[in-house]
Amino acid sequence: MSQAEWQAVNEYHDILYHKWNGIAKITINRPEKRNAFRPQTVNEMFHAFCDAREDQSIGVILLTGAGPHTDGKYAFCSGGDQSVRGHAGYVGDDGVPRLNVLDLQKMIRSIPKVVISLVAGYAIGGGHVLHVICDMTIAADNAIFGQTGPRVGSFDGGFGASFLARMVGQKKAREIWYTCRQYNAQEALDMGLVNAVVPVEQLEAEGVKWAREVLQHSPTAIRCLKSAFNADLDGQAGIQELAGNATYLYYMTEEGTEGKRSFLEKRKPDFSKYPWMP
Ligand code: S0N
């Protein structure tokens, strides 16, 4: 397979954003902070995800971290930037404390495209939660996973707890949070936290390979599957997404179109030719 020829999209400060052949790549670019996110980082990621959502040529989004840093170490993301953590969240240039990563989490979960995280080095704290939320994770052999909340005075009681527990089981999820241990790539693979482990120098190529496999398949089938996987955990919001896809498909039918057409033509709708299927 030929090498990805990434085209840069937009100018951001804290992230890099590229596209190539149906794939978008969002890279957190703060290696000097182990790719910790501040409000601006999250805003930029959200903006890039919005762009990828609207771009009908994009089916897969790779989420990764820039690196290695000058000290040779890699990071996917080390969570919230502790140096800007204020009384009620992470403080941006406007002086307002926020937990806007929660909006990003919801975006990653609900975007009707496949999000694959490529983890080299640390996926820690809120950075660990980010990879957990992605549809799939490919880990480099140097990846290190873990939560730090109870050690640094924070916790993610949302997807970071409940979805993690769905993924690795209740006992393991509680171990991860209560002990704040770190796990290597093989341990992560063994507990079902990641899909594959590859040598770090092959990480991006492997991500592109997985993306290209996904891209061969039906966008609508994958869109519906993603919302189906989310529905049981996401309550009414999950049902809304799943049902939104039913409406999306119904709008494409003759039967659905008859309802709209009859209204515009100021006549009674005629649904008689549409069967009541078993
Ligand atoms: C990642 C770790 C393990 C790497 O260790 P290593 O390799 O020894 O490097 P360090 O020397 O520690 O770090 C290198 C430089 O990077 C800076 N840095 C690293 N991580 C952060 C960070 N998270 N914020 C700010 N700076 C960071 C270091 O300071 C160092 O810089 P210099 O060289 O200038 O000193 C290790 O670094 C580590 O453990 N990092 C901290 C991990 C952590 O605790 N993260 C925060 C966890 N909490 C969250 O992420 C909260 C997420 C959130 O927003 C949220 C979401 C939902 C609900 C609630 C919350 C909530 O806020 O609670």
Side-chain angles (χ1 to χ4, degrees), residues 35-163:
N35 293 322
F37 54 78
R38 55 180 176 171
Q40 180 178 349
T41 323
V42 173
N43 282 340
E44 292 181 3
M45 290 167 80
F46 194 85
H47 188 272
F49 269 101
C50 285
D51 177 88
R53 182 179 60 192
E54 298 303 316
D55 186 337
Q56 293 181 39
S57 73
I58 296 296
V60 176
I61 299 144
L62 302 178
L63 177 61
T64 193
H69 183 44
T70 49
D71 63 4
K73 286 197 178 179
Y74 288 81
F76 169 72
C77 176
S78 64
D81 185 332
Q82 299 302 292
S83 65
V84 299
R85 182 173 145 188
H87 271 318
Y90 296 87
V91 182
D93 288 343
D94 58 5
V96 178
R98 290 192 171 79
L99 276 176
N100 59 346
V101 75
L102 299 180
D103 297 327
L104 179 66
Q105 292 181 0
K106 285 190 277 186
M107 163 66 94
I108 293 172
R109 250 181 106 69
S110 69
I111 189 169
K113 315 211 168 180
V114 175
V115 185
I116 304 176
S117 53
L118 305 181
V119 176
Y122 292 105
I124 294 284
H128 186 255
V129 177
L130 279 184
H131 104 85
V132 164
I133 284 163
C134 291
D135 291 281
M136 296 187 282
T137 297
I138 303 173
D141 50 6
N142 67 357
I144 298 171
F145 300 88
Q147 298 295 158
T148 58
R151 199 172 63 227
V152 299
S154 69
F155 62 92
D156 183 342
F159 292 121
S162 56
F163 189 43

Side-chain angles (χ1 to χ4, degrees), residues 168-181:
V168 299
Q170 283 283 343
K171 298 280 187 191
K172 201 70 191 176
R174 288 168 200 232
E175 172 193 312
I176 290 169
W177 273 101
Y178 299 168
T179 68
C180 299
R181 284 184 196 158

Side-chain angles (χ1 to χ4, degrees), residues 249-265:
L249 292 169
Y250 180 59
Y251 272 14
M252 296 182 202
T253 65
E254 260 293 313
E255 181 182 341
T257 307
E258 166 60 11
K260 176 198 74 173
R261 204 184 300 124
S262 65
F263 175 81
L264 293 176
E265 292 170 1

